[in-house]
Every structure is written in structure tokens, then in C-alpha cells.
Amino acid sequence: MRASRNGNIFVNLDWQTIGLFLVLVVFGWLNIYGASYTPDQTSIFDFSNRAGKQFAWITGSLALGAILLLIDYKTYDTLAYIAYGLMLLLLLATPFLAHNVKGSYSWISLGPVSLQPAEFAKCVVALTVAKYMGQYEYKMRTWRDLIVPFLIIGVPAVIIMVLQRETGSALVFAVFLLVFYRQGMSGYVLWMVVAAVALFIISIRWGGTPLPLGTGSVGIFSCMLLLTIVEIYFICKEHYVRFLPLILSGSVVVVYAICLLLNIGWAMPFDWIAMAVVASLAVYNLVVSIYWRKYQLIIVAVFSLLCIGYTQACDFVFQKVLQPHQRIRIEVLLGMKEDPTGAGYNVNQARIAIGSGRLLGKGYLKGTQTKLQFVPEQDTDFIFCTVGEEWGFIGSVAVLLVYLTFILRLITIAERQRNAFTHIYAYAVAGIFLFHLTVNVGMVLGLMPVIGIPLPFFSYGGSSLWGFTLLLFILLRLDAARMEQLN
């Protein structure tokens, strides 16, 4: 019976997804050759250059994919926890075995090749999350139901960020929040994450800008105004009382009007006044929420109170916790500092390369910016520059459309699953691919900080290619099992 089932695997496979995978891999390989091409190179299969080495990784990737398809689909569910434990041990050992690569200790040398365990950790964590949340009795009813899933994604993320000093790979695990939300997690959690990021950016960007009136900073005052709006919104949304929005908003306006009048004679500390307003609204929200037994809103009130201290601590985190190169990248991204020959060099050259391609591009192997090595990391993190320069706007849009089709295909696969384990795993895979695509293209265009996120199936490197292959082909095997079970 088992042999009969395995015999139908290739019939039940989603060949559309495999076709998109092959298109991306082959086109990525061609662009790696284009990014590293020099006139003295004889062949794309020359193993002395990166294109030839990537061909070896692609061959291994196809073999790996075939092996994953032949493994019994139940194995991935059964061994998820064991694989997670072994992966944690490997991640913990990596800093002691790895060599320093640009300040990161995430690469282990195995003879002539180097592997990055963090790339494979994404797949293992996705399987473990699916295993835990896919249990029949598991339901996301309360905040306590999120403790274990948060630990599953948080432990490896902390190890990678703190011990291996690899911020980009650690941030990928944040995409699991979307998976949790899809499975029933309260939207308040996502709101708090977005709010925390927004407050950090505002407080850092304008924290040193003094207010035109009184004392205080534009950054802190703006953060408090944002929290004030949020508190009034949630209070009025969940505790509807006639004229309540007008009463609360009017009270805040009156407080600031009085402070403006007093500011004529005394310099008023407007940022502290704004903190007091937020604290007052949060306490009011707490009291009303407890009275009406709407306990979820207590989280919003407590979060607002914590954010008062959080905005004060952002500068300390920025100055003392982040590495110097991370601070400079954020400052350049936010327009706080001009560094065209330093941290901003990569992004500036990337923009020049993409812009020089114009509508139709300069032609394959004819990109001057890439050939003259103006763009650092042009065949890894900045591989999209080669696409923009040699294939132009049309080629870049075509690549993005292929990626979009690929991700939509993954979502389609996720939606048609009847098994909770596969359903959750599929959404995790789709989220990881979407995160990598968005961040990589965003940092190349200067819309996001440079954090070393590879472009799936395009960027040079065996670890990323094999990591993405693991994610995809395990999903394809689980999806094929759906048809086997129906038959």
C-alpha cells in the first residue's frame, strides 16, 4: 500500500508551483552569471566563478527536492520536535564553530563550503509551529495559548540575533505573527507590534528636534499624540457612550489650550504633559474595561502605559544596544545622516544601477554598473540590481510578477488543505517567502535598512537556496499527500 501511494506522488504534485520554482531558479542563475561576468570567463558552467558554483548548488537542490518528495509525508509531522531540539543545539554551537564574517558568527566552514544554519532553522521552526498549533485540541482562545508558539519562534530568533549577531535572519521569524493571526490570534498583538515599530522610528528620527514652543522634543510629543488618538479610539469603540468621543477629544484640546496660554509666562514641558494625558486616558480605559469586563482592552491600556517608558528608552537602545553599522544604516534610511561613501554607498549604487536600466535595460551581460563592481554584494543581497540594469523596468516587473504568482500559488495550496498541520505550515512558508521578497527588494530600492536578506532562488549561496528548497518541497510533499488521502 505504501509503495502504491508513493507511486502516485508525482501525479499528485502541484506542477504549476514546481514550474514557477524552476523559472525563478534558472533566471536567478543567469543573473548571478551576469552579476559576476567578466570578459575572460569562458562558460556559465565554469566552477571557478560563482555561476558555476551556483549550478552545483542548484543540482544539489534538485536532488534534495526529489529526496524530500520520496519521504513519507508523516515523517515531517513525527520528527518536528526532534528536529527543533537538534536545530537549537546547532544554533547554540554555531557561534563557537563559526568564523567572523563582517561581524556575524553564523557561518560554519565545512571544507571548501560554508553553511548558515539559520537558513535551515526557518523550515524547522515552521514545522514545529505547525506541529504544535495543528494539534486537535489546540485552540487560540486566550493569551496563554500564545506562550508556547511565541517561545518556539522567539528562542531561535534570540540565539541568532544575540549570539550569532545576525539581525536579518532573526527578523524573519517575525513573519510567524501573521500565521498566528491567521489562526485566530487577536489583532491587538499585530497592532502593538506595528505601534512599537512606529514609535521607535518617530522617537529616533525626531527625538533630538526641540519643540518650537515650551520644552521637550518633537519625537516624544508626536509619540504621545499618537498614543492619545489610539486610546480615545479604543475607548470609544468598545465603550460606546453618547458624546463620549466629543467629551474625551474636547478635554484633551482644553488641556493643551490651557498649557499654551500658560506657556506665555512659563516654558511648559509639553512632552511631559502629553505623557500625563496618555496616562490619564489609559487609567480611565483600565477602570472602564474592568467595570464592563472587557479584559482584552486592559492590554491596550497597559501597552500605552508601557509605551511611555518605551519611548524614553528608545534612544538608549539605539545608542547603546544596536551595533554601530546598524545605527548608521537606520540613520541613512531615515534621512538623519548623509553617508554616500559609507553606509549609504550600497543603496546609492543600487539605485544608480537599477535606474540606468531604464525601460528595457542595457541587455544581458551588458550592465556597466555591475561589471565594474560598483555595487557591493551584487550577486547576493543586491542581485535585483542586475535585473534592473540588464533587463530594465519591464524585466524587473516581470520578475516581481512571477514572484507574486508564486506566493499566491502557495496561499492557494494553504487554503485547500484539510489537515491543520499542512495548512499552518503552508501559510508559514508563504509568509517567509513574502518577507524575503519584500525586504530584499525594499532594501535595494532604499525603502528598508540593509539587513542582509537574500532574494529567494536568486541570490548566490547554497544555504539560502537549500533552505528555500526545504521549505517548498516539504510543502509540496504534504500537499501531494492531500490527494493521496482523498484517493
Side-chain angles (χ1 to χ4, degrees), residues 17-18 41 50-51 54 66 175 290-291 311 323 332 334 358 467:
T17 304
I18 293 179
Q41 290 180 208
R50 286 197 162 185
Q54 185 71 2
V175 80
I290 293 173
Y291 179 79
T311 53
Q323 298 295 320
V332 171
L334 298 180
R358 298 188 178 183

Side-chain angles (χ1 to χ4, degrees), residues 347 350-351 354 381-385 439-446:
V347 174
R351 287 174 173 172
I354 292 176
D381 297 343
F382 286 84
I383 187 66
F384 196 72
C385 296
V439 174
N440 181 274
V441 175
M443 73 181 191
V444 169
L445 296 177

